[in-house]
Amino acid sequence: NVWPSSRLEATRMVVPLGSLFTPMKERPDLPPIQYDPVLCGRATCRAVLNPFCQVDFRAKLWACNFCYQRNPFPPQYAAISEQHQPAELIPQFSTIEYTLQRVPAMPLIYLIVLDT
């Protein structure tokens, strides 16, 4: 149950990688986060900061675990350290519900993939 942290690990994977996503499932045990998610800077990726990303606390950078793009933390994360981490980086919070402060420019798009 570990996401590959490097390209070498990704090429050595024997089992195909898959995930199950239920976007509208109600989770009363999750407190909503009252700020916008931190997104990957690459325009073709836009993945969200998560516990599986590699983080350099000294340089205030994080590496996207999907495209390996190194991204700076936004200014509100200036006090981030190994002892003071946001909820996105705590392994117990691998599922987070955000309350967006701004309305998305595009409508949400859901893609359903069936492999038979």
Side-chain angles (χ1 to χ4, degrees):
N1 293 341
V2 176
W3 196 265
S5 61
S6 68
R7 289 184 190 199
L8 181 61
E9 285 183 13
T11 58
R12 291 182 177 169
M13 288 185 62
V14 179
V15 178
L17 189 63
S19 65
L20 178 63
F21 182 66
T22 311
M24 300 299 191
K25 181 175 175 65
E26 291 291 328
R27 292 282 309 266
D29 60 324
L30 293 176
I33 304 294
Q34 300 296 326
Y35 52 85
D36 291 335
V38 178
L39 301 176
C40 177
R42 184 170 285 169
T44 57
C45 180
R46 307 296 288 170
V48 177
L49 177 66
N50 61 72
F52 303 107
C53 294
Q54 294 179 346
V55 177
D56 183 354
F57 292 104
R58 187 173 271 183
K60 307 288 191 245
L61 296 171
W62 64 279
C64 175
N65 57 328
F66 290 100
C67 69
Y68 303 107
Q69 170 78 23
R70 293 178 59 82
N71 302 288
F73 282 106
Q76 61 267 28
Y77 285 71
I80 193 172
S81 67
E82 289 189 45
Q83 294 78 26
H84 184 254
Q85 295 181 6
E88 297 97 330
L89 295 177
I90 299 172
Q92 292 82 5
F93 294 118
S94 60
T95 300
I96 292 181
E97 182 173 337
Y98 290 98
T99 302
L100 298 179
Q101 302 301 316
R102 55 181 165 70
V103 178
M106 292 178 34
L108 297 176
I109 299 171
Y110 295 105
L111 174 67
I112 299 174
V113 178
L114 300 174
D115 184 13
T116 57

